[in-house]
Amino acid sequence: MDREVLFAKTLEGVRETAKKQGNCISQAQVEEAFAPLGFDARQLDMVYDYLKNRHIGIGEPLEEEDYLTRQELDYLQLYLDGLKEIGQVEE
């Protein structure tokens, strides 16, 4: 199989795995996936940068500030504050 095609398929597989895991993947999973391609540390760093730019956490989930805009963060906070005002629901 062509190396570029294998790279593209591997990268897509890593993205799918991360998606199933809440947009997070371990460094070991990435290294294992790219092992057949013989990537060195510099090449893996480029893969990690690509994943981070696609809002995928490496080893731990990203913080909301890493992938939400200021407007989205403000809306989220307004929503959470509204939930607090509702209070507990009793039977």
Side-chain angles (χ1 to χ4, degrees), residues 29-53:
Q29 287 175 299
V30 174
E31 290 173 3
E32 182 181 322
F34 284 95
L37 290 165
F39 275 22
D40 61 24
R42 184 183 61 79
Q43 291 168 312
L44 285 172
D45 284 341
M46 291 190 315
V47 171
Y48 298 139
D49 288 341
Y50 171 85
L51 294 172
K52 288 177 186 173
N53 287 332

Side-chain angles (χ1 to χ4, degrees), residues 52-53 55 60-69 73:
K52 288 177 186 173
N53 287 332
H55 311 298
E60 59 186 42
L62 296 176
E63 297 293 324
E64 287 92 6
E65 293 84 17
D66 294 335
Y67 60 90
L68 294 178
T69 65
L73 287 169

